[in-house]
Each structure stands twice: as structure tokens, then as C-alpha cells.
Amino acid sequence: MINLYAIVQRDLAKDLIFEIDDEIVTLSIKGVMIARTDSKSYNFSFVEITETEFVLALQMKGYIIYLGLESDEEIDEDAYPELVRALIQQLIPVLNNLIQEAEKSGYKGKADLLMDDNMSPDMKEFFYEMLIRHKKNLPHYEQVDVA
């Protein structure tokens, strides 16, 4: 478990700078959580917490990595696809390394918060709700719109 914290502190406790729609956007990683899942498929979710806070959840190899992100300014919803694509491209190698270390070290937890770097109350609420859902084996996604 110590190695997971070390990877997060070394590789994810930083600001990410992107050019989205010809504007420079700075995103700070404020929170990281790892959770086990029964699915080995690849998937992602992007959840808007506030106008400047988001959570990107990437599912890979039986794990879901939740990344709490805070932007220095409001991002237009039309830019989300480009932003998510840029985030995934930049973060996949680090997240793959994190998952490999979890597998190598025999991570047995259901879910653990690996970083909480001054998250806002709204983001903390999201992370702790997800943490509880994973630990109690409750569904971690809620469908709010009719499919």
C-alpha cells in the first residue's frame, strides 16, 4: 500500500496544463482513489462536481481509479471531449503503473483514498460517497436519465 501512495505523490500530485480550444487550461489533481471492480473491461466516466471541479473515473484491469480535478477557470461543456481525451492520453501510463503496483503488491482492499489534497467539500462528499459504496459493495453508478 505504501508504494501506491508513493506513486500517487510522485506522479499525480501535480498540475496538468492543456491547450483546449486555443486556451491554456490548468487542472490540479486534488484527489485519487483506487477501487476494485469485478469487470476487467476498459471504461471511463467524467462527472462534473461544480463549474471548476470534475472527477475522471478510469476503469482498467479490474480497478477503477478516480481522479478529482480542479480547473483554474470554468470550462465550457463543449470542450469536455477534447479535455477528457487529453487527460486520458497523459494519465494512462501513470495509472497503468499504479495498477501494476497494486497487482504486484497483492492489493486486497475494496477501495482506498490515496490522496486528498485540499479537496473542496463538494468533491470530498463525492469521494467519500464512492468510497462507502465500494466498501459496502453497493452500485457505484446511478442512472439519472432514462436510457
Side-chain angles (χ1 to χ4, degrees), residues 27-78:
L27 295 175
S28 301
I29 299 177
K30 295 293 188 178
V32 179
M33 186 174 83
I34 187 170
R36 292 170 102 15
T37 182
D38 294 332
S39 175
K40 299 281 186 192
S41 67
Y42 290 77
N43 205 344
F44 75 91
S45 296
F46 188 75
V47 179
E48 184 179 289
I49 304 295
T50 68
E51 288 134 6
T52 59
E53 296 176 314
F54 316 92
V55 173
L56 176 62
L58 291 157
Q59 179 178 306
M60 307 167 33
K61 302 179 183 178
Y63 293 90
I64 301 174
I65 308 294
Y66 294 89
L67 300 164
L69 304 159
E70 182 179 77
S71 173
D72 59 344
E73 59 185 58
E74 187 175 338
I75 298 173
D76 184 27
E77 284 185 29
D78 294 338

